[in-house]
Amino acid sequence: MAYELKQVFASLPQMERGVAKVLGGDPKGNNFLYTNGKTVIIRNIENPAIGDIYTEHAHQVNVAKYSPSGFYIASGDITGKIRIWDTTQKEHLLKYEYTPISGKIKDIAWTEDSKRIAIVGEGREKFGAVFLWDSGSSVGEISGHSKVINSVDIRQKRPYRLATGSDDTCGSFYEGPPFKFKFTIRDHSQFVNCVRFSPDGARFATAGADGMIFIFDGATGERVGSLGEDKAHKGGIYAVSWSPDSSQLISASGDKTVKLWDVGAGTAVTTFNMGSDVSDLQLGCLWQKDHLLSISLSGYINYLDKNNPDRPIRTVKGHSKSIQCLTVHKNEGQTYIYSGIFYHLLLQLFSLIFASHYWDAETGENDCFSGKGHSNQVSKMVTTDAGELVTCSMDDTLRYTNIGKKEYRWGSLYSPVLHHIFDCSYLITVICFFTLDNFGYEAEVGVIHPGGTTAAVGGADGKVHLYSIQGNTLKDEGQTLDGDGPITDMAYSNDGAYLATIDEKKVARVYSVADSYSVKNDFYGHHAKPVSLAWSPDNEHFATGGMDMMVYVWTVSDPDQRIKLPDCHRLHHVSGLAWINEHTLVTTSHDASVKQWTITY
C-alpha cells in the first residue's frame, strides 16, 4: 500500500489593498513564484497548473526571489527571518537561514554572482541589510531612510550598484561592495513602492504612490527622465518590471491598468485595462521572456496580450484563502473538482465574498461561478444527478447552481427547502434545521442513506441518532449509536453497506448497516481531532483527515491495513476530502491549495 502526490493546484497570492505584491522570476524563464500565508508557491509559467509549494516557514512569508544561478531561492517572512533553500531537489533542502532585521521583510535582491543578498523591510533597529549568502557576514550598510523600505534592487553587472525605495518618499543610491550610501533620490512626493534595475544595468526605474515613474542612470544614479507626459498613471504605482532587452517596461497601478512603456521615448505603447471593480486594482507585475504577468487585488494572475489590451490571454484563478469544503462531479467523461471558500475581498463596503470554484481534475484549468455568492462561509457542498451543485452556508441559505451554466442562483432558508435536499438523497447540513426543531441535542453533521429511507445525525453528545424519512419529516426510531466523543463527520458508503464516523476523541468507526448498525471495526491513528471523511468508490476503503495534518486511508475489513499520508498540507489541517476514483484522492486545506494523490493498495 502506497501513495504518491499526483498534482498540485496551488493557491493564488495573498493580497492586501494598497500593498505591492512582489513576483519572483526564474532566471531560466521557466517558473515564477509568489507567497501566500506561510507558503512560497512556484508555478510553471507556460502551464501554471503545474506547481510546487514550499512550506518550511513558521511565520507568514512576504517575498521570495530566485538566485541568478537559479539553484536557490531566498524567502523572507514577517519576523525578519530569511531562508535560502535548494530548487533542484523536490525536498527543497535548507542551505542557510539568517535573521538580518527584526521585522517584516518586504523585498529581496541578489548580486549577479549569487553570492550577496540585500533585504529591506520593517526592522525596528534598521530597515535593511546586505550580506554574504553563505555566511551572513555584512557586506555594507543600507542606511539613509527614516521609514520602512519597500523595495530594493541590485545592478546585475559590475560595478555593482544598489537602490532602495521607502515610505519616507525617497529613494537611496549605494555603491559597493561593501555597499555604502551615496545620495538620496527626492523626486517622488509620496511612498516609493518599487525600484528595479534594467537587465543590462544601464538604467533603473523608481515607481511611487504619486503615480510617477522616474528613470535613472544605472551606474551614476543620475536622473535621466520620466515616463508619461504628466504622470505615468492616474493612481499609485505598485510595481514595474523590465523587458529582457531593457528597452521597455510594464507598470502596475491602482488605477486598474497596466501600461507598457517605451523607456527611451518615455511614452506608453499600450494600456491594459483590467476592469472597473476594486478587485481589479493592479498590485504586481512580471515580464519574463515573452510573458507579461500582472496580479489583481483579487489575487488573479493575468497573462497580458499586447495585441488585445482589454482581454488577457489567460487569467489564472483559484483560491487565496482557506478552502472549507469540496466535492467531485463527473460530466461527459470529464471530472471536475468543486471547492468552497471563505475569504475577505476589500470592496467599497469592505464586504465578504464566499466563493465556489471548479477545477478540471486533469488539466487544472479552473474558474469561479458568476453572480453573487453566499454572504457567509460555504460549509458544505454536494452535486446531484440532475447536474446541480448544492451549497449550504452559514448565511442560512441553500443554493442550487446549474453546473452547466456556472452561475449562482439565489437560495432560501433551510427549513422551507428540506424536502428538496431529501429528494436529492443528501443532507448537507443539519445544524440550523435540528436546532430549530429542538431535538434535545446539538446536531453536528447529518447524512442520508443512499436508499433514501434513513437519516443519520451525529451530535455533540457523542451519539449518532437514526431517523426514518417519511415525506419531508423525520421520525425518531429510538435508535442511537454510541461514539467515543462529539461526532465531527460521517458518511455512508456508496453502496449503503456501511456508515463511517469520526469523533473528537480521534476514533474512526464503521458500522454495518445490514447488521442493525453493529460496529464493524474501530480505527486509530490520528494524533489530533479528525474533521473530514470520504468513502472510496470501491466501498472497501475510506479516508479521514485531521487537525494533525494527517490523512489516513483505511481498509474496512482490516484496521491494520492503512495508508498514512503525513503532512499532506504542511502546517495546515486537511479541511476536505473527495475521491475521483478508487485510486485518486483529492485533499484541500486552509493553505488554499487542492492536491491529488494516487493511492495504491
Side-chain angles (χ1 to χ4, degrees):
M1 301 177 77
Y3 70 93
E4 183 180 4
L5 181 61
K6 178 182 179 182
Q7 226 168 359
V8 176
F9 301 152
S11 68
L12 294 177
Q14 187 172 338
M15 308 301 290
E16 182 180 347
R17 188 174 182 178
V19 178
K21 191 67 180 181
V22 177
L23 281 173
D26 170 12
K28 297 181 175 63
N30 299 323
N31 302 318
F32 66 99
L33 51 78
Y34 54 83
T35 63
N36 183 316
K38 299 175 184 178
T39 62
V40 179
I41 293 94
I42 305 169
R43 301 185 86 150
N44 182 284
I45 200 162
E46 296 287 347
N47 181 8
I50 300 172
D52 193 6
I53 304 175
Y54 179 76
T55 58
E56 297 300 315
H57 276 276
H59 301 278
Q60 181 179 326
V61 54
N62 277 343
V63 58
K65 289 283 190 71
Y66 275 95
S67 65
S69 68
F71 296 142
Y72 296 97
I73 290 172
S75 51
D77 69 23
I78 60 172
T79 69
K81 182 172 289 184
I82 185 166
R83 295 175 67 91
I84 303 167
W85 40 280
D86 175 80
T87 65
T88 62
Q89 305 295 321
K90 187 170 69 173
E91 294 79 12
H92 299 308
L93 297 177
L94 179 68
K95 188 71 173 176
Y96 301 108
E97 184 178 71
Y98 307 111
T99 308
I101 61 173
S102 56
K104 182 189 296 184
I105 295 175
K106 300 195 72 172
D107 204 4
I108 297 170
W110 294 74
T111 53
E112 49 82 28
D113 58 3
S114 300
K115 292 182 178 179
R116 301 167 188 85
I117 297 174
I119 64 95
V120 296
E122 298 181 5
R124 288 188 288 273
E125 298 85 17
K126 56 183 180 178
F127 300 119
V130 56
F131 52 90
L132 293 174
W133 85 293
D134 57 354
S135 69
S137 300
S138 175
V139 287
E141 184 179 9
I142 296 180
S143 59
H145 288 290
S146 59
K147 292 185 179 180
V148 172
I149 302 178
N150 297 313
S151 185
V152 63
D153 204 19
I154 298 175
R155 187 176 189 236
Q156 294 297 292
K157 63 182 292 188
R158 293 178 184 269
Y160 291 146
R161 299 291 185 263
L162 185 149
T164 56
S166 167
D167 271 7
D168 63 12
T169 75
C170 295
S172 291
F173 189 72
Y174 307 79
E175 294 180 353
F179 290 97
K180 295 180 180 179
F181 173 81
K182 293 300 290 184
F183 55 83
T184 297
I185 298 169
R186 303 185 185 277
D187 298 85
H188 288 279
S189 60
Q190 295 185 42
F191 298 164
V192 182
N193 290 322
C194 188
V195 177
R196 292 291 181 260
F197 279 88
S198 59
D200 64 7
R203 288 164 292 190
F204 71 91
T206 64
D210 54 6
M212 303 294 292
I213 299 175
F214 295 106
I215 307 297
F216 301 85
D217 184 278
T220 68
E222 177 185 358
R223 177 177 160 181
V224 296
S226 62
L227 302 184
E229 292 182 4
D230 180 20
K231 290 186 175 183
H233 284 272
K234 295 177 182 177
I237 303 167
Y238 292 98
V240 296
S241 184
W242 289 84
S243 63
D245 67 2
S246 300
S247 68
Q248 297 177 313
L249 63 76
I250 54 173
S251 55
S253 171
D255 65 7
K256 308 180 188 70
T257 69
V258 175
K259 291 187 178 182
L260 169 60
W261 299 91
D262 180 323
V263 177
T267 57
V269 177
T270 306
T271 298
F272 302 92
N273 297 300
M274 305 307 298
S276 57
D277 295 333
V278 173
S279 60
D280 297 318
L281 297 174
Q282 300 300 296
L283 299 179
C285 60
L286 177 69
W287 192 324
Q288 184 154 298
K289 287 189 173 178
D290 296 328
H291 298 287
L292 281 65
L293 274 58
S294 76
I295 305 182
S296 304
L297 175 58
S298 62
Y300 291 172
I301 302 166
N302 311 294
Y303 284 63
L304 306 178
D305 187 350
K306 295 180 185 178
N307 300 315
N308 187 0
D310 294 323
R311 186 178 179 86
I313 298 170
R314 77 192 312 172
T315 299
V316 179
K317 300 181 180 180
H319 296 309
S320 60
K321 295 285 186 179
S322 170
I323 300 176
Q324 300 292 329
C325 54
L326 85 158
T327 189
V328 168
H329 182 258
K330 293 182 180 179
N331 184 28
E332 296 180 355
Q334 285 184 294
T335 301
Y336 291 92
I337 301 166
Y338 296 87
S339 52
I341 67 164
F342 160 37
Y343 71 88
H344 297 262
L345 187 61
L346 293 173
L347 300 178
Q348 287 91 336
L349 298 178
F350 297 91
S351 59
L352 296 173
I353 298 297
F354 301 82
S356 298
H357 278 68
Y358 57 93
W359 314 71
D360 185 308
E362 279 299 316
T363 67
E365 291 293 322
N366 72 89
D367 205 344
C368 60
F369 289 95
S370 61
K372 188 174 182 180
H374 285 286
S375 61
N376 208 326
Q377 177 177 312
V378 180
S379 305
K380 202 81 169 178
M381 54 171 54
V382 294
T383 56
T384 72
D385 294 336
E388 289 183 310
L389 177 72
V390 187
T391 56
C392 72
S393 165
M394 295 178 72
D395 63 6
D396 291 344
T397 66
L398 286 173
R399 290 182 184 235
Y400 292 78
T401 301
N402 185 292
I403 288 175
K405 292 182 179 179
K406 307 291 193 300
E407 183 177 1
Y408 284 115
R409 281 166 43 194
W410 281 103
S412 305
L413 290 174
Y414 289 128
S415 47
V417 296
L418 262 163
H419 62 283
H420 291 306
I421 308 173
F422 293 148
D423 288 345
C424 298
S425 295
Y426 292 109
L427 181 62
I428 63 175
T429 189
V430 297
I431 296 174
C432 291
F433 170 70
F434 285 105
T435 299
L436 286 172
D437 284 69
N438 192 22
F439 272 68
Y441 62 91
E442 185 179 349
E444 296 288 347
V445 60
V447 291
I448 290 180
H449 188 275
T453 58
T454 303
V457 181
D461 58 358
K463 298 180 183 296
V464 177
H465 303 259
L466 298 178
Y467 301 87
S468 62
I469 298 172
Q470 298 182 0
N472 61 352
T473 62
L474 299 182
K475 182 181 179 183
D476 188 350
E477 295 296 333
Q479 184 177 3
T480 60
L481 313 175
D482 290 330
D484 284 33
I487 308 299
T488 58
D489 202 5
M490 59 197 301
Y492 280 101
S493 59
N494 301 282
D495 60 3
Y498 301 111
L499 173 67
T501 66
I502 49 178
D503 61 44
E504 288 189 7
K505 297 296 184 180
K506 299 168 283 193
V507 179
R509 181 165 293 163
V510 171
Y511 301 89
S512 176
V513 174
D515 295 332
S516 301
Y517 287 88
S518 63
V519 176
K520 174 75 172 177
N521 271 316
D522 286 342
F523 304 82
Y524 301 92
H526 284 289
H527 302 305
K529 179 173 69 174
V531 294
S532 52
L533 182 153
W535 278 92
S536 166
D538 66 8
N539 300 306
E540 292 294 326
H541 301 87
F542 67 99
T544 59
M547 301 288 284
D548 53 6
M549 298 172 282
M550 303 280 190
V551 169
Y552 285 92
V553 177
W554 307 97
T555 303
V556 172
S557 58
D558 186 356
D560 294 328
Q561 287 283 90
R562 65 186 190 183
I563 302 174
K564 177 181 176 182
L565 285 67
D567 284 342
C568 271
H569 297 260
R570 184 169 168 78
L571 302 178
H572 300 84
H573 78 261
V574 176
S575 59
L577 298 167
W579 293 82
I580 290 176
N581 54 54
E582 62 187 47
H583 293 293
T584 307
L585 176 66
V586 183
T587 63
T588 60
S589 170
H590 294 290
D591 66 1
S593 68
V594 178
K595 296 185 179 182
Q596 292 187 52
W597 307 83
T598 299
I599 307 297
T600 306
Y601 304 113

